[in-house]
């Protein structure tokens, strides 16, 4: 409403200078510093979201299996892996903040250039007695009001891009295929007694390096 209203008021003062403002405004969309910063910030926000997910998953895995980590004396390696992922997250977060911070100043620079162009065109028109000094002052005021909504929109683009990057991970999870169900001929465990018996079990990671041979174990209910 602000944009439409200011265009009407400017057109009532001078249609030609109004056309300059309206025609130059779309150029800000293709203004390369703004376009580049938006592209890079979205990319960094995506990396940030992915790395944050990796860090959360790694932390949950290590804390959930802390007894296993301690049993295999893996604390130092786990800390090293955590620091590496955390450093990547810090790097992506810093870059995302940097590039997203460029967007709004780049937009303001572009519209300040439009404001300067209107001031020059209006001054020439004022010199040629096409408009008065009062009309030029009003025109500049309307031009400033016209650019404010665009500047405010770019101010929230950062949060919007961050939200899109985070939402993409949510939808990626939703689109994941379902886990493969059991085979139709699989047997259902009915009325388990808690007794586990292993008979003549062989196991090895490599066929040429035997590890477990002819294992026989019988565990009664309640035993470990």
């Amino acid at each position: 409403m602000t944009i439409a209203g200011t265009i009407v008021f400017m057109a009532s003062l001078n249609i030609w200078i109004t056309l300059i403002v309206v025609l130059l405004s779309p150029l800000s969309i293709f203004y390369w510093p703004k376009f580049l910063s938006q592209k890079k910030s979205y990319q960094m926000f995506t990396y940030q979201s992915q790395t944050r997910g990796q860090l959360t998953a790694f932390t949950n895995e290590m804390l959930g299996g802390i007894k296993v980590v301690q049993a295999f004396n893996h604390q130092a390696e786990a800390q090293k892996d955590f620091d590496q992922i955390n450093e990547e997250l810090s790097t992506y977060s810093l870059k995302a903040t940097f590039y997203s911070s460029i967007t709004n100043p780049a937009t303001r620079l572009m519209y300040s250039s439009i404001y300067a162009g209107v001031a020059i065109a209006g001054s020439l028109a004022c010199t040629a007695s096409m408009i008065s000094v009062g009309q030029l002052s009003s025109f500049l005021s309307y031009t400033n009001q016209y650019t404010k909504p665009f500047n405010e929109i770019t101010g929230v683009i950062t949060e919007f891009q961050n939200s899109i990057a985070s939402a993409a991970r949510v939808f990626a999870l939703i689109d994941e295929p379902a886990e493969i169900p059991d085979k139709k001929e699989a047997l259902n465990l009915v009325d388990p007694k808690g007794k586990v018996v292993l008979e003549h079990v062989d196991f090895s990671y490599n066929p040429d390096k035997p590890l477990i041979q002819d294992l026989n174990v019988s565990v009664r209910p309640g035993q470990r």
Side-chain angles (χ1 to χ4, degrees):
M1 292 177 63
T2 302
I3 294 172
T6 51
I7 289 177
V8 172
F9 284 118
M10 286 190 293
S12 65
L13 295 175
N14 189 289
I15 187 64
W16 299 109
I17 303 179
T18 304
L19 288 176
I20 294 176
V21 176
V22 174
L23 293 177
L24 289 179
S25 296
L27 296 178
S28 63
I29 300 176
F30 306 101
Y31 184 43
W32 70 267
K34 173 186 173 184
F35 179 77
L36 179 63
S37 63
Q38 288 180 345
K39 183 178 180 181
K40 292 292 291 185
S41 62
Y42 176 73
Q43 186 181 32
M44 290 300 114
F45 277 126
T46 302
Y47 291 155
Q48 180 190 36
S49 180
Q50 293 174 351
T51 309
R52 186 188 297 117
Q54 293 175 4
L55 186 65
T56 303
F58 180 81
T59 304
N60 289 337
E61 182 180 4
M62 292 299 102
L63 293 179
I66 189 169
K67 291 185 178 180
V68 178
V69 173
Q70 293 174 341
F72 287 90
N73 196 27
H74 196 71
Q75 298 95 316
E77 290 295 327
Q79 181 66 48
K80 181 180 178 181
D81 293 340
F82 177 87
D83 291 339
Q84 181 180 354
I85 301 175
N86 193 44
E87 183 65 25
E88 292 180 1
L89 177 60
S90 177
T91 301
Y92 291 139
S93 299
L94 182 62
K95 289 183 178 181
T97 303
F98 173 76
Y99 286 114
S100 61
S101 298
I102 296 177
T103 303
N104 189 260
T107 304
R108 290 180 180 274
L109 177 62
M110 184 62 189
Y111 283 110
S112 295
S113 301
I114 296 176
Y115 184 87
V118 170
I120 294 173
S123 299
L124 295 176
C126 187
T127 304
S129 300
M130 296 176 60
I131 59 175
S132 65
V133 176
Q135 288 177 321
L136 175 59
S137 177
S138 299
F139 212 103
L140 292 175
S141 178
Y142 287 134
T143 303
N144 188 39
Q145 293 295 324
Y146 171 81
T147 59
K148 274 187 176 181
F150 295 100
N151 294 330
E152 292 172 357
I153 289 173
T154 56
V156 299
I157 284 181
T158 298
E159 295 299 325
F160 183 66
Q161 289 180 320
N162 193 3
S163 301
I164 292 178
S166 300
R169 288 184 54 80
V170 174
F171 289 117
L173 178 62
I174 295 176
D175 294 337
E176 281 290 317
E179 292 184 357
I180 300 175
D182 294 333
K183 293 182 179 180
K184 293 181 179 180
E185 60 271 18
L187 300 178
N188 292 325
L189 184 63
V190 180
D191 192 22
K193 302 299 183 181
K195 184 178 180 181
V196 179
V197 178
L198 303 178
E199 296 178 342
H200 307 294
V201 175
D202 295 338
F203 174 79
S204 63
Y205 291 100
N206 299 317
D208 55 341
K209 294 181 180 180
L211 182 61
I212 297 176
Q213 293 181 308
D214 196 25
L215 174 66
N216 295 276
V217 177
S218 178
V219 184
R220 295 190 300 272
Q223 282 188 317
R224 288 189 176 183

